[in-house]
Amino acid sequence: MSSTRARLEDVLVSDREHWLDGPPHDLFAQMRSECPIHWTARITDYPDEAGYWSVTRAHDIHAVSRDWQTYSSELGGVTAVTDVFPLELMRAMFIGMDPPKHDRLKMLFQAGFTPRRIAAHEGAIRSIVTDVLDRLDGRETCDLVTDVAQPVVSRVIGSFMGIPREDDAAWATLMNSALGAGDPDLNPDGVESVVSKDIPEIFARCQRMIAERREHPTDDLTSVLVHAEIDGNKLEEHEIVMGFFLLVAAGNDSTKATYCSGMRALMDHPDQRQLLLDDPSLVPRAVEESLRMYPAFSHFRRTATIDTELAGQKIQAGEKVVMWYVSSNRDETRYEDPHRFDVRRAGDHQAFGAGGRHFCLGAALARLELKVMFEETLARYPQMEPAGKPMMVESGFINQLKTLPVRLSPV
Ligand code: HEM
């Protein structure tokens, strides 16, 4: 944390300059204390985009999240930038719908994602993790993002969706460039290529899987989408494709992000790692603390449906309202010493959303994956250490490392 204070009225929160090395925590602390509902006038990389309100404190975000009638997910998309993804496609995913359609579609999946149902996958997830770690045998160094996190999360969500194992890497590349659209490494062809190249490829690949399941129903989640009926109607083709995209994208990206940031924090704080080595029953707490400190999505966004007021600030119908989870998770009115990584902290957080209708469907799966990944990595490589400069994705939306070089055991 540096101590430079910004002139808040001039600050454009999502501009790239603030995100080159992860979220601007100083700036958010200043906003929480001086201007908790803050106006960003424009988004420099996207000159045609409207500005937005930033909501930075936990209880205000909770209020926005719960009030879907005033703050819609359907009206204008769910990220600060509307332009990257055509709105019509955003609205085909239940993350971009409002009730009642949102609730009906989400309900089709919810039964399979309860903590109890997810717990039944622990053995399968553990064997995916140990298989991936086995591939490191004989190596001195690796990159935790590409060599461990990516193959694990791709296979876990791939097995839920019915993706053949040999297609995992291709799907991961597509998802990384779609979600990290503005990052020159994840998406070297530039933002326009998401619509011109990646989305058509996602559709083509997905349509093949859909056709197979129409013919031969299976018990994977792709089949659930293909055969879903809402009020007696089947989903349209683009709704099935985008439902598939939502699950694969959410499953691919976020768990990978939290695992890598959490492992980095454990290497940077050997005292905290030692606590876990001495008492592995603390791992679930370390998972929650990693989610709090490094939420995989920096923000989600809503659009005001009516003229309203939030914490004394007037907001007009049609304006964008951005909930910054990277800020609320370090709200000093909620957490003592919020920037300290403390695996014993027993705190709630908003990494999975703030209690509203769109609360993360995959929270139980993500928690289980993270627990198993931390347990197995720590058991095998208790003294892992950094071996080069980690780099963050340049994004105000996905909060994740794109590279985390490590030495597996000290020399
Ligand atoms: C560390 C891991 C994860 C984090 C931090 C995370 C976070 C989030 C957040 C913040 C939201 C949106 C809440 C809002 O509207 O503000 C969300 C929604 C969602 N997540 Fe996750 N997620 C994770 C893992 C997963 C996994 C593994 C899946 C697998 C299926 C998943 C599926 C979804 C879906 C389908 C939604 C949309 C829910 C809705 O609109 O009702 N997530 N997640």
Side-chain angles (χ1 to χ4, degrees):
M1 299 267 300
S2 82
S3 58
T4 330
R5 291 184 88 72
R7 268 171 53 87
L8 288 184
E9 58 273 34
D10 300 333
V11 165
L12 304 170
V13 178
S14 51
D15 270 17
R16 193 181 289 266
E17 59 173 309
H18 299 298
W19 297 86
L20 296 177
D21 198 21
H25 290 298
D26 283 344
L27 176 62
F28 282 122
Q30 190 184 348
M31 288 162 72
R32 286 193 298 276
S33 95
E34 293 173 20
C35 182
I37 314 291
H38 169 274
W39 178 250
T40 282
R42 61 181 186 282
I43 305 175
T44 306
D45 278 356
Y46 301 87
D48 297 335
E49 284 272 339
Y52 57 86
W53 293 105
S54 284
V55 189
T56 55
R57 297 188 304 202
H59 68 268
D60 295 330
I61 290 184
H62 183 66
V64 171
S65 179
R66 291 182 59 83
D67 184 359
W68 59 266
Q69 286 99 335
T70 309
Y71 300 104
S72 162
S73 296
E74 196 161 312
L75 214 53
V78 295
T79 58
V81 177
T82 316
D83 264 359
V84 175
F85 243 77
L87 191 54
E88 161 208 18
L89 295 184
M90 285 302 304
R91 288 180 175 150
M93 302 188 262
F94 60 88
I95 200 166
M97 294 176 190
D98 290 331
K101 193 169 183 194
H102 163 270
D103 297 6
R104 291 191 193 130
L105 202 43
K106 189 173 189 177
M107 211 158 56
L108 294 171
F109 296 96
Q110 239 151 3
F113 279 89
T114 60
R116 219 164 59 90
R117 290 284 293 277
I118 289 297
H121 297 269
E122 177 159 350
I125 292 175
R126 201 172 290 279
S127 82
I128 290 172
V129 176
T130 52
D131 277 358
V132 168
L133 291 173
D134 285 349
R135 294 183 214 156
L136 300 177
D137 280 356
R139 288 179 61 174
E140 287 177 6
T141 58
C142 78
D143 191 316
L144 277 194
V145 179
T146 48
D147 290 324
V148 179
Q150 184 70 70
V152 168
V153 298
S154 295
R155 184 75 312 253
V156 172
I157 195 65
S159 63
F160 274 67
M161 302 306 297
I163 293 174
R165 186 184 295 269
E166 58 277 16
D167 290 354
D168 283 353
W171 277 108
T173 307
L174 283 168
M175 294 300 148
N176 288 339
S177 61
L179 271 83
D183 184 278
D185 293 321
L186 293 189
N187 184 28
D189 296 338
V191 171
E192 301 73 36
S193 76
V194 172
V195 173
S196 65
K197 212 176 82 204
D198 297 332
I199 294 180
E201 184 169 348
I202 290 168
F203 266 78
R205 283 177 171 271
C206 209
Q207 273 156 347
R208 287 199 289 275
M209 292 181 66
I210 292 169
E212 281 165 25
R213 278 148 189 85
R214 286 219 170 98
E215 211 51 15
H216 309 288
T218 53
D219 58 2
D220 56 39
L221 296 184
T222 306
S223 264
V224 173
L225 281 162
V226 169
H227 300 285
E229 282 193 15
I230 306 283
D231 298 333
N233 301 314
K234 293 246 192 253
L235 298 181
E236 303 199 11
E237 186 95 351
H238 77 288
E239 291 177 318
I240 300 174
V241 173
M242 293 314 290
F244 178 94
F245 174 85
L246 171 63
L247 293 164
V248 179
N252 224 302
D253 230 68
S254 41
T255 316
K256 176 178 73 179
T258 311
Y259 166 76
C260 293
S261 298
M263 285 305 299
R264 180 190 189 183
L266 290 171
M267 287 186 277
D268 288 347
H269 300 90
D271 59 318
Q272 296 294 308
R273 176 168 64 187
Q274 196 56 47
L275 291 171
L276 302 186
L277 294 172
D278 293 344
D279 179 5
S281 74
L282 282 176
V283 168
R285 285 202 181 192
V287 167
E288 297 308 311
E289 180 65 345
S290 302
L291 287 160
R292 181 189 75 81
M293 289 279 286
Y294 317 107
F297 299 106
S298 297
H299 75 266
F300 268 100
R301 170 240 168 145
R302 303 290 186 260
T303 304
T305 55
I306 48 167
D307 290 353
T308 185
E309 201 174 300
L310 180 66
Q313 176 61 55
K314 289 202 172 1
I315 292 176
Q316 286 176 11
E319 286 180 337
K320 300 175 184 174
V321 177
V322 171
M323 303 175 286
W324 288 107
Y325 301 131
V326 275
S327 171
S328 61
N329 277 359
R330 296 186 185 209
D331 183 334
E332 35 293 284
T333 63
R334 279 219 167 168
Y335 308 101
E336 206 186 308
D337 203 356
H339 303 289
R340 184 165 49 87
F341 179 75
D342 180 353
V343 299
R344 282 165 303 189
R345 202 190 285 272
D348 201 8
H349 54 73
Q350 297 182 339
F352 290 125
R357 284 293 221 280
H358 291 274
F359 190 82
C360 176
L361 174 76
L365 174 60
R367 286 183 159 123
L368 179 62
E369 275 186 271
L370 289 166
K371 177 178 98 77
V372 172
M373 289 169 88
F374 281 157
E375 283 171 356
E376 295 296 333
T377 316
L378 287 170
R380 224 178 265 214
Y381 302 111
Q383 304 303 325
M384 182 186 283
E385 51 190 38
K389 190 174 155 32
M391 274 164 62
M392 296 293 293
V393 175
E394 288 177 25
S395 168
F397 177 52
I398 54 172
N399 179 26
Q400 65 175 262
L401 288 156
K402 59 184 166 188
T403 164
L404 180 57
V406 298
R407 177 167 302 286
L408 295 166
S409 307
V411 271

